[in-house]
Amino acid sequence: MLKMTLKAKICLGLTILFLLEVLVLQIFLRHSYRKYDELLYEKTVQVMTFYAERIEQELLNLENISLAIIGDTDIQENLSRIKTLSPTNQTRITARTTLKERVKNYLHANEYLHTLTIITQEEDFTSTIQILHSPLQERDLYWDLARENHGRVLWLPDPAETGSLVLVREIREIQNRSMQTLGVIVAKIQLDKLVDASDDLLEQIDLPLNVSISLNDKPIIPSTQSSPSIVPGQHGWWVERIDGNRVFCVAWQAPESIWKYLVTTNYEHIAASVSRSNMLALGLSIASMTVVGMVCLLLINSILKHFTILQKKFDAYGSGQLPALPDKTPFSRNDEISRLYRHFDRMIYDHHRMSEDIYVKQQLLHDAQIKQLKQQIHPHFLFNTLETISLLLLCHRTEEVSAITSALGKMLRTSLKEQRNLISLREDLLFAENYLRIQSIRYGDRLRVETHIDPATENALIPCTTIQPLVENSIIHALEVTIDVCVIRISSFMDKDGVLIKIEDNGPGIVEDVLDKIERKEIHPNGLGIGLANIDKRLKLLLSKECGLQFHSSPQGTCVMFRLLKGDKNAENSAC
């Protein structure tokens, strides 16, 4: 991700936004369609409320008819006579005939009442539109259920006929308040006929509905089509696949009602309409986002084109070149890109001019530092040499004074005449030999010098007056602090890294981090030459930062060395 180009990142971002928009659109459409299903459910429940009210109102009328039968004085008296008189009694026979007529009269009180029967312990009194008698086992079942229900209405599905409903209710004696059982009302209702009469209410909605009714989760009126089974306790709506088709199902039960309704309708045309709307919305969304994406890419390309030109300018300037102005620049524009071009071009040319000024100033400062360091040589050498000549004159050692004077003259002539910052190793060794000639006269046999110079290194260029101060440092820290003979070894040779130059002595040694301590002013140099810090600075200024002095010290002596790195033109001169 971090290595991608800006254009690739923008394209990736647009792609992610595109996918997110599609996802959000799908979520929104699903939410909208679910809301549509919920509205369909609410509309269906509203229709079913009126539908159920009509059916239950008719069933309530039938309950009122059963209550009227129970309170009918003639039926009460005749049932009491049938219960108490003997079967051969004429009054009882008259009562049976009268009871049948009364039952027949109530049969026509409701158009949905199919059969009306009053069961007594000995016989049944039935009035029906068709000849229909209940089996003995059902008769006993209805008798027992009615008595267990203590006069309340009991609705039961008719096991003998689909679409029929049975009302069972106990008749108790109320004239003398004995409340003894006189009989049981068994009324069979044509519920399917009642449902058909209520179907006109379903025309209030555009969708064809199939209704099934259950009593205590037992189906009484099945749907005309295949429908899911009513699960006990199940309410609400869902979509189910039946016989390969999707069906919208609504399970609803009115409050404080024993009737449960399951309404189903074909959901295929709704799903097809939803699918078409979904595809249309998705297609329009993709088309609009594609157009927007193409416009964005064109704008991005037009902007990134100028950023590419600026990047090339940065790369050219980073490689040390002043970037040339392109043939076509947006200077005629007056937007942020045009201002960015103008500011960048102005910045790089101003920076180039400032860099040249700083470089010239650094060169002048560099030359001034070198001259200042070189000028430190004269007072130190002159002081040391004059002090030695004074001592020799006091001792009338004229020949040695002559030798010292000659060596001093050569050193001063070289120091005053030499204007070069870098000289060959051979020339710098001649300068150091004149210095050692003076020191040999001063210290005599206590000083012995050994030189091992590789001829291949004699032409290597080093800062002027480098070897002499290092030799002087060995004399100060090795010869002057001991009474033994001081041996100073000067050597140079070639190795795989370049030219290595060493000045070694057999003195007691010095601390290896002496330069750092001098820099931090933890110690103060006590030499009379230009000093180690001076040499280290000149090596780093004139050669490189890696060419500074290095120290290796032990009780057996000190080694000061510096290296001319291979590949450096100063070291390559040694091979010429």
Side-chain angles (χ1 to χ4, degrees):
M1 180 68 180
L2 296 177
K3 296 182 180 179
M4 295 174 62
T5 62
L6 181 60
K7 183 177 180 180
K9 290 180 180 179
I10 294 175
C11 291
L12 179 61
L14 289 176
T15 303
I16 294 175
L17 290 176
F18 177 83
L19 295 177
L20 286 177
E21 184 172 353
V22 172
L23 178 62
V24 171
L25 178 63
Q26 286 296 312
I27 295 174
F28 175 75
L29 290 176
R30 287 182 179 274
H31 178 73
S32 300
Y33 298 146
R34 184 171 182 83
K35 285 294 184 182
Y36 174 80
D37 291 340
E38 291 177 355
L39 291 174
L40 179 61
Y41 166 72
E42 293 176 0
K43 183 67 175 178
T44 304
V45 169
Q46 291 177 2
V47 174
M48 290 306 301
T49 300
F50 294 107
Y51 184 87
E53 285 179 354
R54 178 170 180 178
I55 292 177
E56 295 192 14
Q57 182 61 45
E58 291 296 335
L59 296 178
L60 181 60
N61 293 337
L62 293 170
E63 292 181 5
N64 292 333
I65 291 174
S66 67
L67 184 61
I69 293 173
I70 293 174
D72 190 311
T73 305
D74 292 339
I75 292 177
Q76 283 276 334
E77 291 177 352
N78 290 321
L79 285 174
S80 178
R81 291 169 184 163
I82 292 171
K83 179 180 180 181
T84 57
L85 298 177
S86 63
T88 58
N89 189 290
Q90 186 63 38
T91 303
R92 186 177 185 276
I93 295 173
T94 303
R96 291 178 66 255
T97 303
T98 303
L99 183 59
K100 288 182 179 181
E101 291 296 326
R102 295 295 297 169
V103 170
K104 186 176 181 179
N105 292 336
Y106 280 105
L107 177 64
H108 299 285
N110 190 285
E111 59 180 317
Y112 306 112
L113 192 59
H114 180 266
T115 302
L116 181 60
T117 303
I118 295 180
I119 302 173
T120 62
Q121 289 182 342
E122 291 83 8
E123 57 183 325
D124 301 343
F125 300 91
T126 303
S127 178
T128 180
I129 297 175
Q130 300 175 354
I131 300 174
L132 179 64
H133 296 283
S134 299
L136 181 61
Q137 59 271 23
E138 292 179 11
R139 177 185 186 283
D140 295 339
L141 174 64
Y142 293 153
W143 180 270
D144 295 337
L145 289 175
R147 296 200 61 184
E148 291 175 1
N149 217 36
H150 304 294
R152 293 188 296 272
V153 174
L154 180 63
W155 292 100
L156 298 172
D158 189 356
E161 185 177 355
T162 302
S164 294
L165 195 62
V166 177
L167 181 149
V168 178
R169 193 168 192 176
E170 182 185 18
I171 302 175
R172 291 188 175 185
E173 187 175 8
I174 58 177
Q175 287 187 345
N176 56 5
R177 300 181 181 179
S178 66
M179 303 303 291
Q180 293 182 1
T181 302
L182 297 178
V184 172
I185 301 173
V186 177
K188 292 188 177 184
I189 295 94
Q190 292 177 304
L191 186 60
D192 51 358
K193 184 178 178 181
L194 174 60
V195 170
D196 292 338
S198 303
D199 284 342
D200 57 338
L201 290 175
L202 299 181
E203 296 178 359
Q204 296 183 17
I205 60 176
D206 297 332
L207 296 175
L209 300 179
N210 299 303
V211 182
S212 60
I213 304 175
S214 63
L215 174 63
N216 298 324
D217 296 322
K218 295 180 180 179
I220 299 177
I221 301 297
S223 174
T224 56
Q225 300 178 357
S226 298
S227 60
S229 301
I230 298 180
V231 179
Q234 185 177 17
H235 298 280
W237 64 272
W238 67 95
V239 177
E240 186 173 336
R241 188 172 292 276
I242 300 175
D243 296 336
N245 296 321
R246 280 175 290 184
V247 176
F248 185 80
C249 307
V250 177
W252 178 79
Q253 184 172 5
E256 300 180 359
S257 174
I258 60 176
W259 309 99
K260 189 170 185 178
Y261 302 88
L262 178 62
V263 183
T264 60
T265 184
N266 190 354
Y267 196 72
E268 285 296 331
H269 68 286
I270 300 177
S273 176
V274 168
S275 179
R276 287 193 300 270
S277 301
N278 191 2
M279 294 302 297
L280 179 61
L282 187 60
L284 291 175
S285 177
I286 292 176
S288 62
M289 286 186 288
T290 301
V291 172
V292 172
M294 294 178 64
V295 173
C296 290
L297 285 178
L298 292 176
L299 293 175
I300 291 169
N301 285 331
S302 66
I303 295 173
L304 291 181
K305 176 180 67 177
H306 300 295
F307 278 109
T308 302
I309 298 174
L310 286 175
Q311 181 183 359
K312 292 180 179 179
K313 286 189 172 187
F314 276 110
D315 295 338
Y317 191 65
S319 61
Q321 303 174 4
L322 277 177
L325 294 175
D327 296 335
K328 295 182 180 180
T329 57
F331 291 157
S332 59
R333 301 169 57 165
N334 194 25
D335 56 7
E336 290 80 359
I337 295 178
S338 176
R339 290 196 293 271
L340 185 60
Y341 266 95
R342 290 195 294 268
H343 293 331
F344 176 75
D345 290 342
R346 187 183 304 115
M347 178 192 70
I348 59 177
Y349 283 103
D350 290 345
H351 183 266
H352 180 71
R353 187 180 65 253
M354 292 174 60
S355 299
E356 290 181 343
D357 294 342
I358 292 173
Y359 176 76
V360 172
K361 292 179 181 179
Q362 286 180 341
Q363 286 296 108
L364 294 174
L365 179 61
H366 181 269
D367 294 340
Q369 288 177 336
I370 295 298
K371 290 179 180 179
Q372 181 183 10
L373 292 173
K374 288 177 63 178
Q375 289 171 358
Q376 295 179 15
I377 298 172
H378 306 299
H380 292 303
F381 278 128
L382 186 60
F383 176 79
N384 290 335
T385 305
L386 291 178
E387 185 182 49
T388 302
I389 292 173
S390 176
L391 291 174
L392 291 174
L393 286 174
L394 291 175
C395 298
H396 304 287
R397 296 163 63 179
T398 56
E399 292 182 0
E400 295 175 345
V401 170
S402 177
I404 291 178
T405 304
S406 175
L408 178 60
K410 293 179 180 179
M411 292 180 66
L412 290 176
R413 187 180 303 111
T414 302
S415 178
L416 294 174
K417 184 179 178 181
E418 185 60 63
Q419 299 298 321
R420 294 174 298 171
N421 291 327
L422 296 174
I423 61 175
S424 66
L425 176 61
R426 181 179 60 254
E427 293 174 310
D428 203 53
L429 285 172
L430 290 175
F431 187 83
E433 286 177 1
N434 288 321
Y435 171 77
L436 286 171
R437 187 175 295 114
I438 296 173
Q439 297 298 341
S440 297
I441 294 173
R442 181 180 179 186
Y443 291 105
D445 295 337
R446 291 188 58 208
L447 176 62
R448 186 170 78 244
V449 179
E450 299 176 359
T451 58
H452 304 280
I453 304 300
D454 186 349
T457 65
E458 290 183 350
N459 292 326
L461 299 179
I462 63 174
C464 179
T465 318
T466 299
I467 304 299
Q468 181 271 329
L470 298 177
V471 172
E472 181 183 5
N473 181 74
S474 295
I475 291 175
I476 294 172
H477 294 284
L479 188 146
E480 293 183 356
V481 296
T482 63
I483 60 176
D484 297 329
V485 176
C486 177
V487 179
I488 299 176
R489 300 179 186 88
I490 304 173
S491 60
S492 68
F493 56 89
M494 300 282 294
D495 62 8
K496 62 179 182 178
D497 297 323
V499 178
L500 184 63
I501 301 172
K502 292 183 178 181
I503 292 87
E504 303 173 273
D505 61 59
N506 60 346
I510 61 174
V511 292
E512 294 187 354
D513 57 346
V514 60
L515 290 177
D516 294 335
K517 292 188 175 181
I518 292 174
E519 185 72 22
R520 296 193 299 268
K521 297 183 179 181
E522 296 180 6
I523 61 175
H524 298 280
N526 56 2
L528 300 178
I530 64 175
L532 300 178
N534 187 308
I535 299 297
D536 185 69
K537 288 181 180 178
R538 289 197 299 141
L539 286 170
K540 292 179 178 179
L541 282 172
L542 294 174
L543 300 180
S544 67
K545 293 182 179 180
E546 291 78 13
C547 294
L549 294 178
Q550 299 179 25
F551 293 84
H552 297 285
S553 183
S554 67
Q556 288 75 34
T558 301
C559 174
V560 182
M561 61 182 177
F562 62 93
R563 184 185 298 276
L564 305 179
L565 298 177
K566 189 175 183 179
D568 187 89
K569 62 181 181 178
N570 302 315
E572 291 175 352
N573 289 330
S574 62
C576 299

